[in-house]
Amino acid sequence: MLESAEKNGIKCYIGLSISNDNSGEILANPTALANNLKFLEDVMHDIYAQYGKKYPNALHGWYISNE
């Protein structure tokens, strides 16, 4: 996806979900939420380290949502 976006001048945002159960219960647990957000931050730093320099114009950012 990033290779194609880079070639075509498209900016990409990568979306990550707060939790994988989609129940929203994690939002009521501050400790679990903080731990999950830290994990997702680490994931995004890893993605950027792997692809940020290779696709500098395509990898535009990321967002975290409770989907």
Side-chain angles (χ1 to χ4, degrees):
M1 175 189 77
L2 291 172
E3 181 179 4
S4 180
E6 186 80 18
K7 289 178 182 177
N8 292 289
I10 297 169
K11 304 285 187 194
C12 294
Y13 284 89
I14 297 175
L16 298 174
S17 182
I18 287 177
S19 67
N20 63 4
D21 66 5
N22 295 322
S23 69
E25 291 180 13
I26 195 169
L27 298 175
N29 184 331
T31 301
L33 179 59
N35 290 340
N36 192 260
L37 291 174
K38 174 64 177 128
F39 169 75
L40 295 177
E41 180 182 0
D42 292 345
V43 168
M44 289 314 306
H45 283 289
D46 186 48
I47 289 171
Y48 184 78
Q50 291 184 51
Y51 302 106
K53 289 182 180 175
K54 188 171 182 180
Y55 306 110
N57 298 309
L59 185 55
H60 198 61
W62 54 84
Y63 66 93
I64 299 172
S65 66
N66 185 36
E67 296 173 329

